[in-house]
Amino acid sequence: MIYWVLVVGAGALVVLLLVLRRMMKSLATRPERILAFLAMAVFPALWLAGMMSYADHEFKKVSFCIQCHEMGEHGESLTSDNDESLAAVHFRNSRVDRETACYQCHTRPGLSGLVEAKMKGLHDVYVYYLCESPEELELHGEYDTSICLKCHGEAESFLEGWGHQAILEELQSGEMSCLECHDVAHELDD
Amino acid sequence: MWHMNWMTNMKSMWKPFANKPPVHIMRCGVLAQVLGILAMSVMLFTKIPLVTVICLPAGAALILLGCLIWAWAVFWTS
């Protein structure tokens, strides 16, 4: 729906801009100028805001992340039958939004996490198109436990079950990573 | 006295709706906006990472530049 609103909006704006371009010489009175300002500055700015919002949503999708062929295997691992694989268990059981699963589990919480994810994405695009991609993909640094804790942190099943209580402080402070025990993040063919 | 003259000059220069805005500048604004909308539309249709990285900032910058040119041309031209 939003996609078609933006497509129709783009067409309408271009037509409006071209029509106003022909009327420019007659912009002498105040109401004419205010109308022109609305058409030429406010509408494009609104369309741009809608476009940025749509792009932000669209580029969080799994389908966008797995466009680069290196990520194909990671995408396939989401539907793996292996119950040890964290990605598959979360994806198959809808424990994360299935449409944006990569983004949910690879972005730290908060605005800084969003900015960091965009910067990492830019770096990945740079490597993909301008450098030789590494044979084995690695995370940018250690996996941040706060990503797991943004959902599990206050869940009763996490706090009271599976021996988490003994290591809760280490997990919360980031001294210990969830991946030390749950070590199969994606099931990949070697 | 010089600062009074400067103030008077500034006031007359920044007076909204003082004169007709220069057409050639507004045409540049329109061109920037049309190019910006086209760049963003290419991104919308393709959704390819490389196209996105180039077209998203370039399109946004062109549209905003067009808006600024229009705001300036319509309200503050002397």
Side-chain angles (χ1 to χ4, degrees):
Chain A
M1 175 67 183
I2 293 177
Y3 177 83
W4 289 110
V5 169
L6 287 168
V7 170
V8 173
L13 266 176
V14 169
V15 171
L16 185 68
L17 288 168
L18 295 177
V19 168
L20 274 166
R21 193 171 182 270
R22 289 184 167 274
M23 295 166 56
M24 272 172 199
K25 284 180 184 166
S26 65
L27 290 178
T29 63
R30 188 182 174 125
E32 274 177 358
R33 289 190 191 187
I34 290 175
L35 201 65
F37 177 71
L38 275 177
M40 307 296 271
V42 177
F43 293 155
L46 285 175
W47 184 81
L48 180 64
M51 188 72 187
M52 295 301 264
S53 163
Y54 176 77
D56 182 51
H57 173 72
E58 200 63 21
F59 301 138
K60 285 176 183 169
K61 285 185 177 175
V62 173
S63 56
F64 181 76
C65 299
I66 61 172
Q67 271 189 50
C68 302
H69 59 259
E70 282 86 351
M71 297 309 299
E73 214 178 334
H74 288 78
E76 284 166 18
S77 78
L78 293 175
T79 49
S80 148
D81 291 333
N82 186 351
D83 286 339
E84 293 288 308
S85 160
L86 288 176
V89 168
H90 280 78
F91 187 82
R92 286 203 326 258
N93 297 309
S94 296
R95 288 183 183 158
V96 287
D97 175 16
R98 293 175 77 136
E99 214 175 35
T100 59
C102 308
Y103 180 81
Q104 300 278 321
C105 294
H106 287 277
T107 310
R108 287 194 299 113
L111 187 63
S112 63
L114 173 75
V115 174
E116 189 187 44
K118 299 288 176 196
M119 297 313 291
K120 283 176 184 171
L122 269 180
H123 177 262
D124 290 346
V125 170
Y126 168 74
V127 170
Y128 182 75
Y129 286 105
L130 299 174
C131 306
E132 202 174 321
S133 302
E135 280 186 21
E136 222 173 279
L137 297 182
E138 285 180 5
L139 284 173
H140 297 266
E142 292 282 306
Y143 188 82
D144 194 334
T145 308
S146 67
I147 300 171
C148 304
L149 295 181
K150 70 183 173 189
C151 297
H152 293 280
E154 291 178 9
E156 207 171 285
S157 59
F158 166 75
L159 292 170
E160 293 176 3
W162 301 330
H164 287 139
Q165 277 176 326
I167 52 168
L168 201 55
E169 276 184 27
E170 283 97 324
L171 284 172
Q172 284 169 342
S173 65
E175 285 172 39
M176 192 175 176
S177 169
C178 303
L179 295 178
E180 286 178 33
C181 300
H182 306 277
D183 55 354
V184 185
H186 288 269
E187 190 198 25
L188 303 171
D189 297 329
D190 289 325
Chain B
M1 274 308 281
W2 66 270
H3 65 278
M4 292 299 288
N5 290 337
W6 182 80
M7 289 278 283
T8 314
N9 287 340
M10 284 302 285
K11 274 183 186 170
S12 62
M13 198 169 99
W14 291 93
K15 193 178 175 187
F17 311 110
N19 288 309
K20 272 180 86 168
V23 172
H24 65 283
I25 290 181
M26 292 199 297
R27 284 199 172 144
C28 287
V30 171
L31 187 66
Q33 285 185 332
V34 170
L35 287 176
I37 289 168
L38 289 178
M40 297 285 273
S41 301
V42 168
M43 184 204 74
L44 186 72
F45 287 126
T46 61
K47 294 175 189 167
I48 297 170
L50 184 65
V51 176
T52 305
V53 166
I54 296 166
C55 287
L56 186 76
L62 282 169
I63 292 174
L64 288 177
L65 178 71
C67 293
L68 284 176
I69 287 176
W70 263 84
W72 174 79
V74 171
F75 288 104
W76 288 290
T77 44
S78 60

